[in-house]
């Protein structure tokens, strides 16, 4: 196992994400505890020391099962991370109640790592609103030793993350973002890494395989990669890409089977950084994948002043692209919650004034109509 230095700790470069644990009868709320215990035992034996759960994973049962399983190991043999569930606004005024409950659920006296969960457009105002006292409470827990390291995870856009960092950046010890070779440009992951670096915050990675999308590629792209590294499987390329980014400290993978776990641990036995040519090849593959699923909006903003509805067209198209490329997913609907009704894609009146000035000839009105339909579905 590769280890990374973080303050006084050595963290395994691969962490076990407890959001896609094996379940019984396909029911996400019913975790297969026996299989989970076997996976954790194997992880421990292979040197994984970072375990990442959250209040809401598996309908609240991830924390309970991870607590039960990890109870069998000395407390100083693993690092446990959990998160404050600010993705649900009804939790905002319950930070103390939820935090106390989380410690009980996980059967621990402290969290090694604790995060503001999913800082995004929908909850940034509340996260920053002093009346909820979330930041103050978590800082207090850090002072009294019940949180060893405080950080945040973010699925939001760059500007939202910047706002969060402007307020709390100096107190954040790590930042967890969606990072993989597809999102490097698509979700501005590269810019987000640079932003974190400005604040000297190390990067924790989630969705290294983009929810499994990067676990297999087209035959043509697979052949290109095989030619460069005959012994490396397609999923390993996603991890090699991350190993090539020096700012990345921990990569979390939500593994739901023993096979995946073994394969990923094998990949993390050794660091095999991509060469310049290999990096170019994988990013070219990503660009080609994006081209085939996304509209070519460059966010030039020429169109916005022509929209009678004053829609933020580039922002909506970015979310539309995200939504189409993931064939659904939660990011766009979540971001949409921060939009007033009259600023949503459904507010488009189809006048096409925007299209008349778009240098990329994006069929904006059709995209808005389709996006509105998809969001309703
Ligand atoms: S077609 Fe829709 S998005 Fe484009 S200018 Fe008209 S109202 Fe705005
Ligand atoms: S004019 Fe076209 S490319 Fe520019 S922001 Fe609008 S949709 Fe995107």
């Amino acid at each position: 196992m590769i280890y990374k230095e973080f303050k006084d700790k050595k963290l395994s470069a691969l962490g076990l994400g407890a959001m896609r644990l094996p379940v019984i009868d396909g029911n996400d709320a019913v975790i297969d505890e026996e299989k989970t215990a076997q996976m954790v035992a194997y992880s421990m034996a292979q040197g994984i020391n970072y375990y990442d759960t959250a209040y809401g994973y598996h309908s609240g049962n991830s924390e309970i099962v991870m607590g039960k399983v990890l109870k069998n190991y000395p407390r100083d043999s693993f690092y446990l991370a959990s998160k404050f569930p600010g993705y649900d606004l009804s939790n905002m005024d319950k930070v103390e109640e939820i935090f106390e409950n989380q410690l009980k659920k996980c059967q621990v006296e402290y969290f090694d790592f604790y995060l503001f969960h999913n800082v995004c457009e929908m909850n940034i105002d509340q996260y920053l609103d002093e009346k909820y006292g979330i930041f103050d409470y978590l800082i207090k827990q850090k002072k009294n030793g019940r949180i060893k390291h405080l950080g945040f995870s973010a699925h939001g856009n760059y500007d939202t993350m910047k706002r969060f960092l402007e307020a709390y950046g100096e107190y954040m010890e790590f930042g967890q973002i969606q990072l993989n070779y597809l999102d490097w440009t698509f979700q501005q992951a590269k810019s987000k890494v640079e932003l974190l670096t400005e604040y000297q915050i190390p990067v924790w990675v989630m969705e290294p395989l983009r929810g499994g999308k990067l676990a297999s590629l087209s035959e043509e792209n697979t052949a290109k990669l095989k030619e460069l590294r005959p012994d490396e499987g397609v999923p390993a390329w996603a991890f090699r890409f991350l190993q090539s980014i020096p700012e990345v400290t921990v990569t979390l993978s939500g593994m739901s089977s023993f096979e995946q776990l073994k394969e990923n641990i094998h990949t993390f036995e050794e660091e095999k950084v991509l060469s310049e040519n290999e990096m170019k090849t994988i990013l070219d593959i990503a660009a080609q994948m994006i081209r085939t699923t996304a509209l070519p909006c460059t966010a030039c903003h020429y169109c916005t002043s022509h929209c009678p509805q004053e829609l933020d067209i580039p922002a909506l198209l970015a979310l539309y692209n995200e939504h189409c490329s993931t064939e659904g997913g939660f990011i766009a609907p979540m971001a949409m919650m921060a939009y007033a009704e009259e600023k949503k894609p459904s507010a488009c009146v189809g006048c096409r004034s925007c299209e008349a000035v778009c240098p990329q000839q994006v069929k904006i009105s059709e995209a808005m109509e389709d996006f509105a339909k998809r969001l309703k579905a």
Side-chain angles (χ1 to χ4, degrees):
M1 177 58 56
I2 306 158
Y3 289 92
K4 298 277 180 175
E5 304 271 346
F6 173 75
K7 305 205 170 183
D8 58 339
K9 299 179 166 60
K10 275 192 170 186
L11 306 177
S12 54
L14 177 67
L16 182 79
M19 80 293 276
R20 294 193 193 101
L21 294 170
V23 296
I24 294 172
D25 294 335
N27 184 345
D28 187 65
V30 187
I31 299 168
D32 188 325
E33 292 187 25
E34 207 182 311
K35 279 193 188 158
T36 302
Q38 284 168 3
M39 284 172 67
V40 170
Y42 185 76
S43 302
M44 286 282 193
Q46 298 298 317
I48 291 184
N49 61 13
Y50 195 99
Y51 296 84
D52 172 81
T53 183
Y55 190 68
Y57 291 167
H58 291 283
S59 304
N61 291 319
S62 173
E63 286 183 329
I64 296 172
V65 171
M66 289 308 287
K68 254 192 224 174
V69 171
L70 290 170
K71 189 84 187 146
N72 299 316
Y73 300 87
R75 183 64 186 88
D76 60 0
S77 65
F78 61 87
Y79 299 120
L80 180 62
S82 197
K83 318 181 182 80
F84 175 72
Y87 51 80
D88 180 345
L89 296 182
S90 69
N91 290 329
M92 289 300 184
D93 56 357
K94 298 183 194 135
V95 61
E96 181 170 358
E97 178 191 328
I98 289 173
F99 185 77
E100 295 297 335
N101 188 15
Q102 286 179 296
L103 288 173
K104 278 195 199 112
K105 283 171 77 187
C106 293
Q107 303 188 47
V108 292
E109 303 286 319
Y110 63 89
F111 288 113
D112 302 280
F113 294 86
Y114 196 81
L115 300 86
F116 288 78
H117 198 168
N118 190 13
V119 175
C120 65
E121 296 84 312
M122 178 269 291
N123 58 22
I124 181 73
D125 289 333
Q126 286 79 2
Y127 266 148
L128 300 187
D129 192 334
E130 285 178 14
K131 91 170 174 222
Y132 296 112
I134 298 165
F135 173 76
D136 288 346
Y137 180 80
L138 297 181
I139 287 289
K140 208 160 104 193
Q141 300 320 305
K142 202 185 151 199
K143 282 193 185 131
N144 68 26
R146 299 205 300 168
I147 291 174
K148 301 296 179 197
H149 302 287
L150 185 61
F152 70 101
S153 72
H155 278 289
N157 62 25
Y158 176 91
D159 291 341
T160 305
M161 200 167 113
K162 192 160 186 276
R163 238 184 106 195
F164 184 79
L165 288 172
E166 277 162 5
Y168 299 147
E170 66 180 294
Y171 302 95
M172 292 298 112
E173 297 174 80
F174 62 108
Q176 193 165 303
I177 59 170
Q178 179 167 319
L179 175 55
N180 51 63
Y181 58 83
L182 196 65
D183 287 320
W184 191 236
T185 52
F186 192 46
Q187 280 270 339
Q188 293 181 287
K190 181 174 188 280
S191 308
K192 289 174 184 172
V193 168
E194 286 163 1
L195 180 62
L196 287 168
T197 307
E198 260 175 51
Y199 282 84
Q200 298 178 317
I201 297 174
V203 177
W204 264 228
V205 171
M206 54 186 167
E207 299 293 2
L209 293 169
R210 214 179 207 270
K213 196 178 167 80
L214 305 181
S216 60
L217 296 175
S218 69
E219 262 179 46
E220 191 195 342
N221 286 334
T222 305
K224 276 186 205 162
L225 298 182
K226 272 273 166 242
E227 200 178 312
L228 290 169
R229 291 194 181 194
D231 300 330
E232 204 93 272
V234 169
W237 274 85
F239 294 116
R240 300 298 181 213
F241 170 77
L242 296 170
Q243 288 176 358
S244 311
I245 300 169
E247 293 84 356
V248 169
T249 301
V250 175
T251 297
L252 296 162
S253 185
M255 296 167 267
S256 44
S257 74
F258 216 81
E259 291 63 43
Q260 273 173 358
L261 177 65
K262 274 190 173 164
E263 200 180 324
N264 293 348
I265 286 175
H266 176 65
T267 307
F268 276 84
E269 275 165 9
E270 228 184 307
E271 203 159 62
K272 291 186 184 168
V273 169
L274 300 183
S275 68
E276 213 172 298
N277 181 38
E278 288 169 335
M279 184 60 97
K280 184 180 175 315
T281 303
I282 201 75
L283 289 177
D284 283 350
I285 287 174
Q288 180 207 51
M289 287 168 77
I290 293 163
R291 266 198 308 276
T292 54
T293 52
L295 296 175
C297 172
T298 57
C300 67
H301 283 82
Y302 293 163
C303 56
T304 46
S305 60
H306 294 261
C307 177
Q309 302 297 87
E310 297 181 1
L311 300 184
D312 187 348
I313 297 169
L316 290 173
L317 289 179
L319 290 168
Y320 178 64
N321 281 339
E322 154 64 30
H323 202 55
C324 294
S325 81
T326 45
E327 292 151 26
F330 70 95
I331 291 183
M334 181 188 75
M336 220 28 78
M337 287 165 76
Y339 280 71
E341 278 309 313
E342 65 274 17
K343 297 295 169 208
K344 289 185 179 178
S346 54
C348 169
V349 293
C351 67
R352 302 180 66 192
S353 312
C354 51
E355 292 173 25
V357 296
C358 174
Q360 306 301 326
Q361 289 154 14
V362 176
K363 292 197 166 75
I364 302 166
S365 57
E366 285 175 22
M368 292 299 152
E369 194 182 348
D370 185 45
F371 197 12
K373 269 193 211 142
R374 286 172 188 254
L375 288 168
K376 253 193 212 157

